[in-house]
Every structure is written in C-alpha cells, then in structure tokens.
Amino acid sequence: MSNEELAYDFSPMIKVYKDGRVERLNDTDRVPPSTDPKTGVQSKDVVISQEPAISARLYIPKSTTTSAHQTKLPLLIYFHGGGFCIRSSSSRRHHNYLNALVSEANVVAVSVDYRLVPEHPLPAAYDDSWAALKWVASHSDGNGSEDWLNRFADFQRVFLAGNSAGANITHNMAVKLGCEGLVSVKLIGIVLEHPYFWGTEPVGEELTTPAAAREYMAGVWRFACPSTSGSDDPLINPAKDPKLGELGCEKVLVCVAEKDVLKDRGWHYSETLKKSGWNGAVEVMEAAGEGHSFHLGDPTCDNAVAMKKKIVAFLN
C-alpha cells in the first residue's frame, strides 16, 4: 500500500490516508488569548475537563474593566465550525470574530473547544459541548471555578451560537436543553450561522445542486458520524426530529448566504420549526451574493457588517 493512498478526501478541509495519517488542510492559523488592542476585549483559555480533553476560550468586553457599577452581561456560548473535523476555539478567524462580537454586543462569551473527528467520531463533539454547557451552568450561583463567569455573566440571559457544524451543535444543544433542562440557566435564543443540516430529499433549489456537491455534504456527515443512520438522522436533519418542538429557547436567528449550498437547509429549518409546535419566534437573514462562512473570511465587507449588526441586536 502506498503512503499516499486516500481513505477519505474532503478537500479543502481534511484528507485521511489509508495508513491512518490525518492531514488537516487550511487549519494551521492559531492565535493565543490576548487583550485585543482594537476593542479592549480580554480573552483567556480554560480547561473544562482533562479526560475527555475539553477546553474553552473566555472573552469579556472592555466595559467589565472600565465601568464603576458593573451589571451582569448576557452570556454567549459559541461553537466553532469546520465540518466537525478542523479548526478550534484558537483559530484566528473565530478569535477575531468573537473579539468584534463581544465588543459590539457587550456580552461575555465562552468559545468551546470540542474534540474533532476522525480521532473522536460523533457524538464526541455533542457530548463535549453538553459537558461545556453544564460546566458553564456550574457558575450560576457565583461559586464556580472561573471568576469571569461568576462576576460578569447573567445566567438568565444566555445565548448559543455557532457557524456551520457549530450551528448544528448549537441547534442540538438547544433541543437537549429543552428536553432535559439546565439548572439555573435561561436560554433566550440561538444564532445559527450557515448551519450544516442535510437530508435525503432535496429541498428548495437543491434539485439543481450538482450531484458531487450533494454527495460531499452527505459524505462529510457519514465520515463525522460513522454510527449514523444517514442524512435523515435527526442530528443532521432536524425536520426528522420528533423533539424539534422542544427547542429550549424563545427565539432563533438563522443566517444564510445566497451562494451557499446549505442555504435552503437554513430556510427549511425555519419553515419546519414554525410547524413543529414550538412557540418561539424564528427569523432568517439571507446575505445576497455571498458564500459559506463569508463573514469569517471577509469580516469588514458590507454583508458581514450587516450580519454582525443583526446578531448584536438579537443578543440585546
């Protein structure tokens, strides 16, 4: 067997070779926590669990250090994207994005670093994300291990958000919270940025999506979750989830991009949620002319600025 024989090729994200080697593509740009010179936002890394290895990057806005009478701030828990297989809470694009969002929305943020596939197949990322939520909730009485959460976070104003695969995690955590509850935490809303959902039957304009693109989306899911029943697994296709109506928040913002192959899934999610018996409010924002995760790659473009402004308003 040649060392270059591929078992999986999901370029531009990841290649896995038959000899077991894993090559993550477009995934080397890591930055340390810092005090951001532009916004004054401070960040630091914390360990949530040694085994399994779960960590997070925490962010607090400048107002926490400049305001004499500190009121508690909304708490945003963020899940990064990357097809469940690349990127982390220290990826430059996510770090820069959260510095700007935390500053403009004046919120405390926790960016979760969950384990990645293929070394840790799903449901590892879901399990880690739920463990992170429970760790965050352990601070609700002001006696948790992390001072920033004890001092600054309002556990009655909690939001979840994520991009792509992270938006998938966000949705699934909100369903789990709705079904099981999380003591002393009130989840107000969730933000799904270009959510990675899929399904066997095409929706919207997916009938015209090239077969290769459809197979890529289905294939990434099978790769990430080897135990799955397929593209109609409720974890990837919320329309097939009988618990959808249990979504544990009051409002949902879905952000989609016109040229993203996942666009119609975002719209379909909104339509299905409205019919599920859930009694919250859902809104979709579509960015004209843009592709998947454009707001992370080009955060100063007009559509990215408009999207961030919408999310800031949603969090307040």
Side-chain angles (χ1 to χ4, degrees):
M1 181 173 68
S2 144
N3 324 347
E4 296 307 307
E5 277 191 67
L6 284 165
Y8 297 97
D9 184 356
F10 291 111
S11 302
M13 289 196 301
I14 193 168
K15 292 179 180 180
V16 180
Y17 295 87
K18 288 187 176 175
D19 64 6
R21 280 184 304 127
V22 175
E23 183 184 2
R24 289 185 165 86
L25 312 168
N26 187 26
D27 186 37
T28 54
D29 204 7
R30 299 287 191 271
V31 291
S34 61
T35 298
D36 181 49
K38 186 175 177 185
T39 61
V41 169
Q42 293 180 50
S43 55
K44 66 176 171 181
D45 291 340
V46 298
V47 174
I48 293 173
S49 162
Q50 299 275 6
E51 184 53 48
I54 312 168
S55 61
R57 181 162 291 183
L58 273 52
Y59 297 80
I60 51 172
K62 190 175 182 180
S63 67
T64 56
T65 55
T66 56
S67 150
H69 302 289
Q70 183 59 52
T71 55
K72 297 281 181 112
L73 301 175
L75 175 59
L76 172 67
I77 301 156
Y78 184 83
F79 303 97
H80 70 81
F84 301 105
C85 62
I86 61 170
R87 306 223 162 89
S88 81
S89 57
S90 60
S91 295
R92 184 184 297 275
R93 58 195 291 170
H94 293 110
H95 179 71
N96 290 347
Y97 176 66
L98 283 171
N99 274 333
L101 189 58
V102 164
S103 175
E104 290 184 36
N106 200 37
V107 298
V108 175
V110 178
S111 179
V112 178
D113 210 16
Y114 50 85
R115 289 171 295 163
L116 300 176
V117 303
E119 295 88 348
H120 305 282
L122 292 176
Y126 297 129
D127 294 342
D128 294 355
S129 298
W130 185 247
L133 289 182
K134 290 199 290 187
W135 176 82
V136 168
S138 74
H139 296 78
S140 60
D141 61 358
N143 293 307
S145 59
E146 185 40 61
D147 186 50
W148 283 1
L149 295 179
N150 291 332
R151 289 168 61 198
F152 303 128
D154 183 349
F155 290 86
Q156 295 304 298
R157 288 189 291 164
V158 175
F159 295 85
L160 307 182
N163 167 251
S164 194
N168 174 296
I169 293 173
T170 296
H171 158 76
N172 281 300
M173 292 305 100
V175 171
K176 189 172 176 70
L177 191 150
C179 293
E180 299 181 16
L182 200 55
V183 175
S184 303
V185 167
K186 183 174 176 62
L187 181 62
I188 302 295
I190 62 174
V191 181
L192 307 180
E193 303 168 359
H194 310 163
Y196 176 36
F197 299 135
W198 204 241
T200 304
E201 293 299 317
V203 297
E205 296 169 16
E206 286 174 4
L207 283 167
T208 61
T209 301
R214 286 190 51 79
E215 179 47 40
Y216 182 92
M217 289 300 163
V220 167
W221 173 247
R222 290 194 304 270
F223 169 67
C225 191
S227 61
T228 187
S229 58
S231 294
D232 284 339
D233 186 326
L235 292 168
I236 190 72
N237 188 354
K240 299 295 185 182
D241 189 353
K243 302 193 296 274
L244 180 59
E246 301 294 312
L247 194 73
C249 58
E250 301 170 2
K251 58 180 186 173
V252 175
L253 174 62
V254 185
C255 300
V256 299
E258 182 188 9
K259 294 183 177 178
D260 183 4
V261 70
L262 296 173
K263 176 193 75 172
D264 291 296
R265 288 290 153 182
W267 281 105
H268 185 59
Y269 175 86
S270 166
E271 291 152 14
T272 309
L273 187 57
K274 287 174 183 173
K275 298 172 189 168
S276 69
W278 178 68
N279 56 9
V282 57
E283 182 178 0
V284 182
M285 178 185 195
E286 181 170 328
E290 302 289 2
H292 189 68
S293 298
F294 74 92
H295 61 298
L296 298 176
D298 188 6
T300 59
C301 73
D302 289 349
N303 280 329
V305 170
M307 178 175 160
K308 186 170 59 180
K309 185 177 178 183
K310 185 77 170 176
I311 293 171
V312 166
F314 184 85
L315 299 177
N316 287 280

